């Protein structure tokens, strides 16, 4: 209840801030989103704590037990053989110690000396290894194992949400720090150029969040299942690492559909590895609990500080420019150009950013096309423009290919020509769509061209088995 | 013949424990003493099998345990019967009556033959 009340205080404070902001006529979309996530995490965390039985009472030490060395040695051997969670071992050890204390006292009252009474009391209990084996079997029942599995799955789900919340907060803090650093550098007259663009950029960011979520989920699953099944965390951790890692690897390879690139591959494969790490590393420790002051400070920084700091910071959008000639695009590799009044017959534009796109050419003089036959749209692979700035998507025709990747018929209507292209599952992301046809002299000519950027979307296995 | 008696006692430990706890909550050492007294000193279950039986019955839901002050003063772990435990005790008693009667008849019948 104390932890719930801490979160309640933070939630109420954030709500009060929102009300004040609304009254002042300011909009705070980000704080609203963060508040919704915060309340969701509070509810799930409280529910998970209730399910875990965090309030289970722990036995107090009855009194300082004055045990002979032989008894202490017996209890130590018993403890090593129990292979149960630490709190269960502690409770059993205390119970057996109390039993031996009563037994020795009773035997001494019957007239035995201390040494003989201790020996007799230990003999009545039997070998510590056998006692540990029987106690272990009594605790590690099949019913508890199944309960542990179910509890572990539920706790893993809670851990996924908590991990995503923590990762999102952390990412916001990193971006905030970067924005502040950029603003400070700009005021100091420094110019910072940083390009982080990649076709799989969204996937990479999502995977980084998933790493934290997977790690926290595995940690919670192992601890919850160990507590319920009365089995040691290291034993269960291996099972969770293998099973959870295999499931996540399957999902990443064959199920989850997202933007792909070679840079995104290791980040995707890192998700099952993060789960395995969470199941094997630091599982003996409980998750860290932040004190109240730290929680309030963190919540204040995340919810309020970004508005203040970003309002003070300024950003400048920079661009790049470079010159090129028609020849440098290497479109002649496709076919020589047929120019009318020195200009292409058609100027093209594409709509779409996936593997499919709609292409429309606007014809300068539709009558020119009447002299051509076998008109079609050819899709040619592109390659990076030599010396182009980082992050630029401008490309030239890849001359290492002698034929187009795919061709499509063209539909003509008035002064426009349309087609729909689909580059399918190809790792190439830069394309040139060229309108070609056989001219009156029987040769093939290029009538118009336009570049097109595609994004590979599919599973990781689709990416690994895709054609170039 | 301690070996034979030990084997016979092994299967009856849960019944002995449940029947002793019918009289009220007791801790482990107390349960062992009470069994010895009620049998007239004829036998006492191995203390090494007592605690596994207690923990197994607790895991089944037949017993509930709690730490509290004992009549001697220091805190001990007390066990008590749950409603499920009372049902289990009745079932054990029925099974034991039927079993012991059958054994007695078989042995008596063989001796008579």
């Amino acid at each position: 209840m104390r932890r719930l009340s801490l979160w309640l205080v933070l939630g109420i404070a954030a709500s009060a801030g929102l009300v004040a902001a609304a009254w002042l006529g300011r909009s705070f979309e980000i704080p609203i989103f963060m508040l919704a996530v915060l309340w969701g995490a509070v509810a799930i965390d409280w529910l998970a704590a209730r399910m875990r039985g965090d309030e289970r009472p722990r036995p107090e030490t009855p009194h300082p037990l004055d045990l002979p060395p032989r008894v202490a040695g017996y209890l130590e051997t018993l403890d090593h053989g129990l292979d149960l969670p630490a709190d269960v071992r502690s409770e059993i050890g205390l119970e057996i110690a109390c039993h031996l204390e009563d037994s020795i006292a009773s035997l001494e009252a019957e007239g035995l000396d201390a040494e003989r009474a201790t020996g007799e009391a230990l003999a009545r209990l039997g070998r510590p290894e056998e006692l540990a084996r029987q106690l272990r079997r009594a605790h590690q029942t099949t019913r508890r194992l199944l309960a542990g599995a179910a509890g572990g799955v539920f706790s893993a789900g809670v851990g996924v949400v908590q991990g995503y919340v923590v990762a999102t907060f952390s990412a916001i803090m990193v971006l905030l720090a970067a924005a502040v650093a950029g603003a400070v550098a700009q005021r100091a007259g420094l110019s910072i150029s940083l390009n982080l663009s990649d076709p799989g950029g969204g996937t990479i960011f999502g995977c980084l969040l998933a790493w934290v979520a997977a790690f926290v989920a595995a940690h919670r699953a192992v601890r919850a299942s160990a507590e319920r099944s009365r089995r040691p965390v290291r034993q269960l951790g291996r099972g969770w690492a293998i099973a959870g890692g295999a499931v996540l690897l399957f999902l990443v390879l064959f199920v989850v559909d997202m933007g792909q690139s070679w840079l995104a591959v290791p980040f995707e494969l890192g998700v099952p590895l993060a789960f395995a790490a969470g199941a094997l590393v630091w599982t003996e420790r409980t998750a860290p609990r932040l004190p109240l002051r730290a929680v309030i400070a963190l919540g204040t920084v995340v919810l309020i500080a970004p508005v203040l700091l970003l309002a003070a910071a300024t950003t400048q959008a920079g661009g790049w420019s470079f010159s090129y000639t028609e020849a440098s695009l290497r479109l002649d590799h496709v076919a020589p150009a047929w120019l009318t009044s020195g200009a292409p017959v058609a100027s093209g534009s594409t709509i779409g950013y996936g593997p499919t796109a709609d292409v429309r050419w606007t014809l300068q003089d539709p009558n020119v096309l009447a002299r051509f036959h076998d008109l079609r749209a050819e899709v040619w692979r592109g390659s990076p423009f030599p010396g182009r700035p980082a992050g630029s998507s401008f490309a030239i025709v890849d001359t290492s290919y002698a034929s187009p990747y795919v061709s499509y018929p063209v539909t003509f209507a008035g002064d426009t020509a349309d087609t729909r292209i689909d580059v399918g599952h190809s790792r190439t992301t830069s394309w040139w769509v060229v309108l070609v046809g056989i001219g009156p002299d029987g040769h093939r000519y290029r009538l118009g061209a336009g570049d097109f950027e595609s994004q590979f979307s599919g599973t990781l296995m689709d990416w690994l088995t895709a054609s170039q | 013949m301690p070996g034979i008696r030990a084997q016979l006692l092994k299967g009856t430990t849960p019944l002995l424990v449940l029947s002793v706890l019918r009289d009220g909550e007791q801790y482990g050492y107390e349960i062992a003493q009470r069994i010895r007294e009620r049998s007239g000193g004829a036998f006492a279950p191995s203390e090494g099998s007592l605690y596994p039986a207690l923990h197994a019955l607790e895991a089944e839901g037949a017993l509930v345990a709690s730490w509290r002050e004992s009549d001697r003063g220091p805190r001990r772990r007390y066990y008590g019967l749950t409603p499920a435990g009372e049902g289990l005790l009745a079932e054990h008693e029925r099974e034991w009556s039927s079993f012991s009667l059958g054994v007695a008849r078989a042995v008596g019948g063989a001796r008579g033959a």
Side-chain angles (χ1 to χ4, degrees):
Chain A
M1 284 302 298
R2 181 168 180 273
R3 189 168 60 186
L4 179 61
S5 64
L6 300 184
W7 286 101
L8 276 174
V9 167
L10 181 61
I12 291 171
S15 300
L18 270 179
V19 170
W23 181 64
L24 291 172
R26 303 293 298 274
S27 61
F28 287 88
E29 292 85 3
I30 290 180
I32 290 174
F33 169 74
M34 299 300 292
L35 190 64
V37 172
L38 189 67
W39 278 105
V42 167
I44 293 173
D45 185 64
W46 176 76
L47 185 62
R50 290 291 300 270
M51 296 278 298
R52 252 199 334 264
D54 274 359
E55 304 305 325
R56 199 176 84 175
R58 298 285 184 265
E60 297 172 14
T61 304
H63 60 87
L65 297 176
D66 185 18
L67 301 172
R70 284 178 66 184
V71 174
Y74 182 96
L75 293 174
E76 189 175 341
T77 305
L78 175 69
D79 185 79
H80 284 151
L82 280 175
D83 211 18
L84 295 169
D87 56 341
V88 177
R89 292 201 319 269
S90 173
E91 205 166 18
I92 291 174
L94 196 56
E95 188 177 19
I96 300 300
C98 293
H99 173 91
L100 286 169
E101 190 181 44
D102 292 336
S103 183
I104 292 171
S106 176
L107 289 167
E108 285 179 340
E110 291 176 8
L112 268 65
D113 58 59
E115 188 65 24
R116 287 183 59 192
T118 301
E120 177 62 22
L122 292 175
R124 288 181 179 182
L125 268 181
R127 294 175 57 247
E129 294 86 359
E130 179 59 22
L131 178 58
R133 188 185 68 81
Q134 291 193 34
L135 283 167
R136 193 171 60 244
R137 197 168 64 181
H139 279 266
Q140 292 177 348
T141 62
T142 302
R143 191 173 69 174
R144 279 190 170 143
L145 181 63
L146 295 175
V153 170
F154 179 80
S155 289
V158 173
V160 167
V161 174
Q162 288 190 327
Y164 266 115
V165 169
V166 170
T168 302
F169 278 169
S170 302
I172 290 175
M173 296 303 295
V174 169
L175 293 174
L176 173 64
V180 170
V184 170
Q186 187 182 39
R187 299 237 171 156
L190 299 173
S191 174
I192 299 176
S193 174
L194 184 64
N195 172 49
L196 299 175
S197 68
D198 182 83
T203 298
I204 292 171
F205 182 74
C207 285
L208 288 174
L209 301 185
W211 285 9
V212 179
F215 188 93
V216 174
H219 185 273
R220 295 199 69 137
V222 169
R223 290 194 58 81
S225 60
E227 185 167 336
R228 286 179 172 272
S229 68
R230 302 288 177 96
R231 283 160 174 81
V233 290
R234 62 182 179 284
Q235 174 189 349
L236 295 179
R238 286 192 291 270
W240 275 103
I242 293 171
V247 168
L248 285 175
L249 183 62
F250 176 82
L251 291 176
V252 164
L253 280 175
F254 300 108
V255 177
V256 181
D257 204 85
M258 46 194 166
Q260 300 286 351
S261 70
W262 283 116
L263 187 59
V265 170
F267 287 90
E268 292 176 72
L269 293 176
V271 175
L273 288 178
F275 187 93
L280 297 172
V281 176
W282 300 331
T283 50
E284 299 282 351
R285 307 177 192 176
T286 55
R289 304 242 173 108
L290 294 177
L292 174 60
R293 277 176 292 181
V295 172
I296 292 177
L298 183 65
T300 302
V301 170
V302 173
L303 295 177
I304 299 175
V307 176
L308 300 177
L309 288 171
L310 289 176
T314 58
T315 57
Q316 179 178 358
W320 49 266
S321 63
F322 65 99
S323 60
Y324 67 92
T325 62
E326 188 76 9
S328 62
L329 297 178
R330 302 189 185 171
L331 286 167
D332 286 343
H333 176 73
V334 177
W338 181 279
L339 301 175
T340 300
S341 304
V345 175
S347 58
S349 64
T350 55
I351 300 175
Y353 194 61
T356 61
D358 293 315
V359 185
R360 165 163 290 184
W361 283 278
T362 302
L363 305 173
Q364 263 198 341
D365 183 356
N367 295 323
V368 171
L369 292 182
R371 300 161 61 189
F372 285 80
H373 66 278
D374 194 20
L375 289 157
R376 62 179 184 268
E378 292 183 348
V379 182
W380 288 75
R381 293 179 179 83
S383 61
F385 193 95
R388 78 178 186 191
S392 158
S393 61
F394 201 67
I396 61 175
V397 173
D398 190 340
T399 56
S400 61
Y401 294 91
S403 58
Y405 179 73
V406 65
S407 298
Y408 290 96
V410 183
T411 305
F412 294 91
D415 62 349
T416 61
D418 295 285
T419 189
R420 185 174 178 83
I421 64 173
D422 184 352
V423 296
H425 275 171
S426 169
R427 297 198 201 108
T428 303
T429 57
S430 298
W431 307 90
W432 275 94
V433 186
V434 185
L435 180 64
V436 298
I438 307 296
D441 58 356
H443 292 100
R444 202 161 134 270
Y445 289 96
R446 183 177 87 241
L447 302 169
D451 61 333
F452 163 60
E453 279 291 311
S454 69
Q455 184 180 36
F456 187 99
S457 181
T459 67
L460 179 56
M461 186 54 69
D462 291 338
W463 173 263
L464 295 175
T465 57
S467 61
Q468 182 59 37
Chain B
M1 303 290 273
I4 296 176
R5 180 164 295 189
Q7 289 298 316
L8 289 172
L9 273 175
K10 194 182 290 185
T12 58
T13 301
L15 170 61
L16 294 171
V17 167
L18 290 171
S19 66
V20 164
L21 288 175
R22 182 163 43 191
D23 299 338
E25 291 186 334
Q26 295 164 71
Y27 56 89
Y29 184 76
E30 205 173 25
I31 294 171
Q33 292 293 93
R34 196 63 59 88
I35 293 174
R36 191 176 295 115
E37 289 168 11
R38 287 169 75 167
S39 71
F43 58 80
S46 161
E47 293 175 5
S49 63
L50 175 64
Y51 286 96
L54 285 171
H55 286 242
L57 288 169
E58 186 187 0
E60 284 178 42
L63 301 180
V64 62
S66 61
W67 288 86
R68 53 189 177 87
E69 301 293 332
S70 70
D71 49 3
R72 294 188 179 196
R75 292 169 65 90
R76 293 291 184 265
R77 196 164 192 254
Y78 277 77
Y79 294 88
L81 278 182
T82 64
E86 289 174 2
L88 186 64
L89 173 58
E91 187 181 332
H92 271 279
E93 285 176 330
R94 282 194 300 272
E95 285 296 316
W96 176 254
S97 294
S98 169
F99 176 77
S100 60
L101 186 62
V103 170
R105 282 177 179 169
V107 171
R111 187 183 300 160

